[in-house]
Every structure is written in C-alpha cells, then in structure tokens.
Amino acid sequence: NSSRVSPPYKRAVEEADIRISITGNTAPKISGNTTYKPSKKASGTVTIPTYVKRDGKTYRVTKIASNAFKGNTKVKKIVIPSTVTNIGKKAFYGCKNLKAVTIKTSQLTTARVGSQAFTKTHAKAIITVPKGKVKSYKKIFLKKGLSKNATVK
C-alpha cells in the first residue's frame, strides 16, 4: 500500500517519469511489485519494462495502472511483459491509434483485466498473445471493450 511508504521513497516515486505504486508493509525491498504508469509523453512503441529500479532497488512490474494510457493518441504499439498479472480499468481507453499489442503474460483473467481496458482502441487492432491463450484472451478482451473487428492471434 503506497500510503505506508516512508516519505523519501514516496517523493522519489512522485517525481519519476514512470510512476509506481509499491506494495507491501514496509519501505521498498528488492523484488517488490510495482504498478506501471507511463509518462504523459509516451508515444510510438512502448515496451513496458519487466523490472524498474528506484533508489538502487529492483521492483517487478506486475500491473498496468488504471487510466495508464487513457486518451493517448500517440501510442501505436505496446508490448506487455510476462510479469504483468493485472491490467487496470480503462488502461488503454481512447487510444484510437493503438494498432498492435503484444502480450507475453499467460496470467490474465477476466477479474484481472479492468473494465473498458480496451474500449475505443483502434478498430482493427492486432493483439498477439501467448500460444494456447487466443480463445480465452479474445473472450476477455471483447468483454473489456476490444472491437469485434480486432484480431487476437
């Protein structure tokens, strides 16, 4: 819970280009988990990092924040690493130029993908998912706003 983070760490998080939320009961520890939220200037191809370093400590990126890319019309492609287990609500809402998403994680479920996460993305977006996940991910993403004209492969 980020409210339990001691002031120096919280300040560093708020000043960073990539904002993170730190989970756990104490100040950051190596291999803690974080939530990814890009800078407002994100454009082109965005590869969400598997890990981020802050103050010499390493944190695994396990979640994409709610509203992370909301309304960003400059992002065209996003690569989501295998460490991500959750996508926040409206994470890609209104990203009308988002034409390609590569998802490397096999851990997404309906409960772990927020409402309207893919609403108003490019109508003919191509979503590349891990082998064996095409059918289940297509069902999840359609429920979360992905266009019926999009391709999940």
Side-chain angles (χ1 to χ4, degrees):
N1 176 327
S2 61
S3 63
R4 295 182 187 167
V5 176
S6 60
Y9 292 110
K10 190 167 188 170
R11 189 168 39 260
V13 167
E14 290 169 352
E15 293 171 0
D17 279 337
I18 299 172
R19 290 172 241 1
I20 59 174
S21 298
I22 300 166
T23 58
N25 296 334
T26 59
K29 295 180 181 177
I30 295 175
S31 296
N33 296 327
T34 69
T35 299
Y36 178 81
K37 184 169 183 181
S39 73
K40 299 277 186 200
K41 298 175 186 175
S43 64
T45 298
V46 176
T47 301
I48 295 172
T50 303
Y51 297 95
V52 293
K53 283 192 173 194
R54 291 289 178 256
D55 299 322
K57 308 233 185 215
T58 303
Y59 302 94
R60 184 179 329 119
V61 176
T62 57
K63 182 177 180 179
I64 299 170
S66 294
N67 304 311
F69 293 90
K70 184 179 178 182
N72 185 323
T73 58
K74 294 179 182 177
V75 173
K76 295 181 178 170
K77 180 179 181 181
I78 293 179
V79 179
I80 299 172
S82 60
T83 56
V84 171
T85 58
N86 296 75
I87 297 175
K89 66 181 180 179
K90 295 188 177 182
F92 308 110
Y93 184 95
C95 294
K96 64 183 180 180
N97 293 318
L98 180 57
K99 296 179 181 179
V101 180
T102 300
I103 298 174
K104 296 181 178 180
T105 182
S106 297
Q107 302 177 58
L108 298 176
T109 63
T110 301
R112 291 180 170 184
V113 179
S115 64
Q116 298 183 320
F118 292 92
T119 300
K120 297 187 180 182
T121 54
H122 195 277
K124 294 186 178 182
I126 297 172
I127 315 296
T128 306
V129 301
K131 288 182 181 181
K133 290 294 184 177
V134 173
K135 187 175 180 181
S136 62
Y137 277 16
K138 184 172 186 170
K139 186 176 178 180
I140 292 167
F141 300 153
L142 286 171
K143 282 184 184 179
K144 305 302 180 172
L146 186 67
S147 168
K148 289 181 170 83
N149 296 323
T151 302
V152 178
K153 62 178 191 168

